[in-house]
Amino acid sequence: MNKQKFIAKQRKRRSNHVRRKVRGNAERPRLTIYRSNNNIYCQIIDDEAGRTLVSASSRDKDLRADGTAGNCEAAAKIGKAIAEKALAAGLKQVCFDRGHFRYNGRVAALATAAREGGLDF
């Protein structure tokens, strides 16, 4: 098995391990995160309806004004933005889905900022 297939298989296994414990529903949707090398994306998903309720990313025009997108400060901005949008949409409780990413660095900064913004998870 080549290395890229092996890495993809391991990521899928880790994602399934996390997602098996975290299922979003109408009362408590799932806050999912994707972290690339340059940007960070997050969205709140209702798994029962299969649709995205709220989303924010470091590529949004109002959030990328200073030009930093791939650091912890930008992740904290995204966390605050997703919390504001979720509260405006009437969502207070969410399930945190980190996917296959470790809970440190940008992922932890986003989660901390979202908690400070008023989300409960």
Side-chain angles (χ1 to χ4, degrees):
M1 182 183 307
N2 67 13
K3 189 172 182 177
Q4 290 174 339
K5 284 185 180 180
F6 179 74
I7 290 171
K9 187 176 178 182
Q10 292 295 331
R11 283 183 177 169
K12 186 68 175 166
R13 184 188 60 80
R14 284 193 301 267
S15 293
N16 289 340
H17 178 78
V18 171
R19 201 150 301 134
R20 190 172 35 239
K21 298 175 185 177
V22 178
R23 291 301 296 168
N25 54 28
E27 297 85 35
R28 202 170 169 104
R30 180 169 53 103
L31 171 65
T32 185
I33 290 180
Y34 178 75
R35 176 183 59 85
S36 69
N37 287 340
N38 296 325
N39 294 297
I40 190 160
Y41 310 87
C42 66
Q43 54 186 345
I44 298 178
I45 302 170
D46 180 8
D47 287 326
E48 291 176 349
R51 61 188 199 104
T52 300
L53 305 173
V54 179
S55 67
S57 75
S58 58
R59 295 190 64 184
D60 292 344
K61 289 189 184 237
D62 55 340
L63 298 174
R64 63 181 167 124
D66 60 352
T68 59
N71 57 16
C72 288
E73 295 171 10
K77 279 186 191 178
I78 303 305
K80 288 180 183 177
I82 196 78
E84 290 173 4
K85 289 180 180 182
L87 292 175
L91 302 170
K92 179 124 174 88
Q93 291 188 333
V94 296
C95 299
F96 186 68
D97 178 14
R98 62 181 175 83
H100 65 273
F101 303 106
R102 288 184 178 174
Y103 187 83
N104 62 1
R106 290 186 280 162
V107 174
L110 189 142
T112 304
R115 281 190 188 106
E116 290 172 357
L119 287 181
D120 180 32
F121 57 90

